Amino acid sequence: MAPQIASKRALAALCPALFAVLLVSQPARAVEPNDVQRAEASFEAGRALMQQRKFAEACAKFAESQALDPGGGTILNLGICRRREGRTGTAFKVLTEALAQARADGRSDRIATAEKELAELTPDLSRLKVQLSPGAPAPEITIELDGERLAPSSVGEALPLDPGAHQLRASQPGHEPWATQITLAAVAGEQTITVPPLSPNAPAPPIALTPLVALPAPEAPRPRPRR
């Protein structure tokens, strides 16, 4: 059965489920008329690809549409598409943003759709909890997850992530960096990784100096005998 797809301008109402969200607002940018047309074309292409269950291609079209002309319907469809694609952590983030946008717009139909998707998705999320060992100085350590800095408030929290491999790296001034790779299960996988105290950099070896050798003074020229 093909997945249900919401229209860009009007989404079908589904049963609501409570879910609290926090959205960091992004600065708006000017939208050119040509961008709107391109966004509509990308959106319709995304809908067609969703009907064909080509989720990766569909998500790319929805993401393109959202970048050109941000809209509450587009981001909601993108979140639904990411979930169908299997990128559950990304879907959770996008659907959370879509729910906040729907609430800001007063769209009860979109609120219901986003809440239902999130309620169904949450039990299946793969999560990673990053914590510091007792001897690690939290303010001085920078933690990066998949190349992006992890906010201090996220340390110790079970973070929803996409299934698969993830890179974790910790660094501290004057210390050797630490890194590891984690692989999360496809459904409801959770791991806890403890960042150990980082080892101080090894002191630079002393520079070996070659002792100076005194050279003999040059001999004075001997006088030539007179003829």
Side-chain angles (χ1 to χ4, degrees), residues 51-144:
Q51 293 286 0
Q52 301 170 39
R53 304 187 67 83
K54 297 180 179 179
F55 300 124
E57 295 93 331
C59 293
K61 288 298 182 181
F62 287 136
E64 182 180 273
S65 178
Q66 181 68 7
L68 290 167
D69 181 21
T74 308
I75 193 172
L76 182 51
N77 275 277
L78 177 58
I80 295 170
C81 184
R82 291 300 189 198
R83 183 186 171 198
R84 305 298 187 270
E85 188 186 11
R87 296 180 58 181
T88 53
T90 301
F92 179 83
K93 178 181 178 181
V94 176
L95 286 168
T96 298
E97 295 178 5
L99 178 55
Q101 185 64 55
R103 287 173 172 167
D105 295 340
R107 292 294 301 266
S108 59
D109 53 347
R110 294 176 180 172
I111 292 172
T113 302
E115 286 180 338
K116 180 179 184 296
E117 290 285 335
L118 283 166
E120 294 175 351
L121 171 63
T122 299
D124 294 333
L125 287 173
S126 298
R127 299 176 184 268
L128 175 66
K129 180 186 293 185
V130 181
Q131 60 188 22
L132 296 174
S133 63
E140 300 177 15
I141 291 183
T142 298
I143 299 176
E144 295 179 2

Side-chain angles (χ1 to χ4, degrees), residues 2-209:
Q4 294 182 349
I5 304 171
S7 167
K8 185 175 177 67
R9 302 303 178 192
L11 296 168
L14 300 175
C15 297
L18 295 179
F19 202 94
V21 298
L22 176 64
L23 175 66
V24 179
S25 60
Q26 300 293 331
R29 70 171 184 86
V31 178
E32 301 294 335
N34 187 46
D35 289 346
V36 175
Q37 296 176 359
R38 292 169 57 199
E40 290 285 353
S42 295
F43 182 86
E44 293 303 325
R47 293 183 64 190
L49 289 165
M50 279 278 282
Q51 293 286 0
Q52 301 170 39
R53 304 187 67 83
K54 297 180 179 179
F55 300 124
E57 295 93 331
C59 293
K61 288 298 182 181
F62 287 136
E64 182 180 273
S65 178
Q66 181 68 7
L68 290 167
D69 181 21
T74 308
I75 193 172
L76 182 51
N77 275 277
L78 177 58
I80 295 170
C81 184
R82 291 300 189 198
R83 183 186 171 198
R84 305 298 187 270
E85 188 186 11
R87 296 180 58 181
T88 53
T90 301
F92 179 83
K93 178 181 178 181
V94 176
L95 286 168
T96 298
E97 295 178 5
L99 178 55
Q101 185 64 55
R103 287 173 172 167
D105 295 340
R107 292 294 301 266
S108 59
D109 53 347
R110 294 176 180 172
I111 292 172
T113 302
E115 286 180 338
K116 180 179 184 296
E117 290 285 335
L118 283 166
E120 294 175 351
L121 171 63
T122 299
D124 294 333
L125 287 173
S126 298
R127 299 176 184 268
L128 175 66
K129 180 186 293 185
V130 181
Q131 60 188 22
L132 296 174
S133 63
E140 300 177 15
I141 291 183
T142 298
I143 299 176
E144 295 179 2
L145 179 59
D146 294 331
E148 295 189 4
R149 184 169 183 174
L150 194 64
S153 59
S154 297
V155 176
E157 297 293 327
L159 306 175
L161 296 177
D162 293 339
H166 297 273
Q167 298 289 333
L168 189 67
R169 184 179 187 274
S171 59
Q172 180 183 353
H175 291 69
E176 296 288 341
W178 173 88
T180 189
Q181 178 171 298
I182 309 100
T183 300
L184 294 178
V187 179
E190 182 171 333
Q191 290 192 43
T192 298
I193 298 296
T194 301
V195 178
L198 305 186
S199 302
N201 289 333
I207 300 175
L209 299 177

